[in-house]
């Protein structure tokens, strides 16, 4: 089945720093790719997604580009805020025709003032 | 619109007791998922339903765990008897059908935080 590998954390950054969280995938075909975010004490929520190669998903200042050449979907933000402190999960459909997502292990981000 | 609603939000119980977690999915969603999250194992899919029918329960850790979905708006996850190693956050989630490789957004509840002492 499909799988994702994301960089292990935790990641600690100062406010206004540049953020990159790496995610690479192994998949049959070209599935949609997702980033979810989990704020402290809450469930996971969709941050952004891309449905085909070269698509760029964006939301709340975060961006990720679907790169089939490097099988990557890295999450980036130009200037992080304290409120971005959370755990970030990369995900993709578990297989062709699958109705469930396979999630990465999550990367915890802490942003300090 | 209301999201996925879970109850209880927090539960502390003694080892050996029965625990029942409840979930109301988003109206109109055909798929319902139960996940467990721990520091050691991360996010694990326990079971999922399509149109109230269990499709894949291979993630259910053992016979002490059972899940039901008697109708489209309600599901339960039961642990009997509970053990300290069951302490975790249990998430319910729901979605519309994915379309092949496109997948679809899964919507999570806020979780039930279970502590077994």
């Amino acid at each position: 089945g499909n799988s994702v590998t994301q960089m292990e954390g935790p990641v600690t950054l100062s406010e206004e720093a540049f953020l990159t969280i790496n995610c690479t995938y192994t998949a049959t075909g070209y599935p949609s790719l997702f980033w979810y975010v989990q704020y402290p004490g809450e469930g996971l929520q969709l941050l952004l997604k891309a449905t085909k190669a070269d698509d760029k998903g964006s939301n709340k200042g975060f961006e990720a580009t679907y790169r089939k050449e490097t099988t990557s979907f890295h999450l980036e933000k130009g200037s992080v805020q304290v409120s971005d402190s959370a755990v970030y999960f990369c995900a993709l459909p578990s297989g062709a025709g699958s109705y469930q997502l396979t999630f990465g292990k999550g990367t915890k981000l802490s942003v300090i003032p | 619109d209301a999201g996925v609603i879970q109850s209880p939000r927090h539960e502390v119980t003694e080892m050996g007791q029965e625990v029942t977690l409840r979930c109301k999915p988003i109206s109109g969603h055909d798929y319902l998922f139960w996940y467990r999250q721990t520091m050691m194992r991360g996010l694990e899919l326990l079971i999922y339903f399509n149109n109230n029918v269990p499709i894949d329960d291979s993630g259910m850790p053992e016979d002490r765990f059972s899940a039901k979905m008697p109708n489209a708006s309600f599901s339960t996850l039961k642990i009997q008897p509970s053990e300290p190693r069951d302490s975790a956050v249990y998430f319910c989630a729901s979605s519309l059908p994915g379309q092949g490789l496109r997948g679809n957004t899964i919507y999570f509840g806020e979780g039930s935080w279970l502590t077994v002492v």
Side-chain angles (χ1 to χ4, degrees):
Chain A
N2 297 340
S3 65
V4 291
T5 302
Q6 62 180 105
M7 64 184 284
E8 295 192 17
V11 174
T12 302
L13 295 174
S14 297
E15 208 164 19
E16 300 183 1
F18 183 86
L19 168 71
T20 301
I21 300 178
N22 291 338
C23 171
T24 57
Y25 67 89
T26 301
T28 302
Y30 301 105
S32 294
L33 301 173
F34 302 80
W35 276 101
Y36 278 75
V37 59
Q38 183 180 25
Y39 298 105
E42 299 183 11
L44 282 73
Q45 57 186 274
L46 179 69
L47 179 60
L48 54 84
K49 69 178 183 181
T51 58
K52 61 182 187 295
D54 299 325
D55 261 6
K56 178 184 287 187
S58 61
N59 185 27
K60 299 182 179 181
F62 290 88
E63 293 183 338
T65 301
Y66 191 157
R67 304 273 190 208
K68 67 177 182 180
E69 304 84 5
T70 54
T71 62
S72 65
F73 193 55
H74 304 324
L75 182 67
E76 297 181 336
K77 187 174 185 182
S79 176
V80 295
Q81 305 300 312
V82 172
S83 57
D84 294 326
S85 298
V87 182
Y88 294 83
F89 294 87
C90 188
L92 79 171
S94 299
S98 174
Y99 299 105
Q100 56 176 295
L101 295 180
T102 293
F103 289 88
K105 293 185 181 299
T107 302
K108 183 175 181 179
L109 170 66
S110 297
V111 181
I112 55 178
Chain B
D1 286 341
V4 176
I5 299 172
Q6 292 187 244
S7 65
R9 284 298 313 277
H10 298 274
E11 173 108 1
V12 180
T13 191
E14 292 186 347
M15 183 174 63
Q17 296 298 305
E18 177 179 292
V19 174
T20 299
L21 308 178
R22 298 172 177 80
C23 175
K24 177 179 169 56
I26 293 173
S27 178
H29 281 191
D30 300 289
Y31 285 82
L32 183 139
F33 307 84
W34 282 101
Y35 289 87
R36 178 173 68 177
Q37 185 178 41
T38 61
M39 290 291 292
M40 291 295 294
R41 301 172 70 91
L43 193 65
E44 303 173 277
L45 177 65
L46 299 178
I47 184 172
Y48 77 95
F49 295 81
N50 177 28
N51 290 324
N52 315 336
V53 176
I55 302 300
D56 184 355
D57 65 355
S58 59
M60 295 285 264
E62 49 197 274
D63 291 346
R64 297 184 297 107
F65 286 69
S66 62
K68 295 182 179 180
M69 192 166 185
N71 57 63
S73 59
F74 184 66
S75 177
T76 60
L77 178 67
K78 186 174 294 186
I79 308 172
Q80 167 63 19
S82 58
E83 297 182 2
R85 61 193 168 117
D86 302 329
S87 297
V89 185
Y90 292 83
F91 289 106
C92 179
S94 69
S95 78
L96 293 168
Q99 297 174 13
L101 291 175
R102 290 185 58 191
N104 212 343
T105 301
I106 293 180
Y107 296 85
F108 284 76
E110 295 197 326
S112 292
W113 300 66
L114 174 66
T115 302
V116 183
V117 298

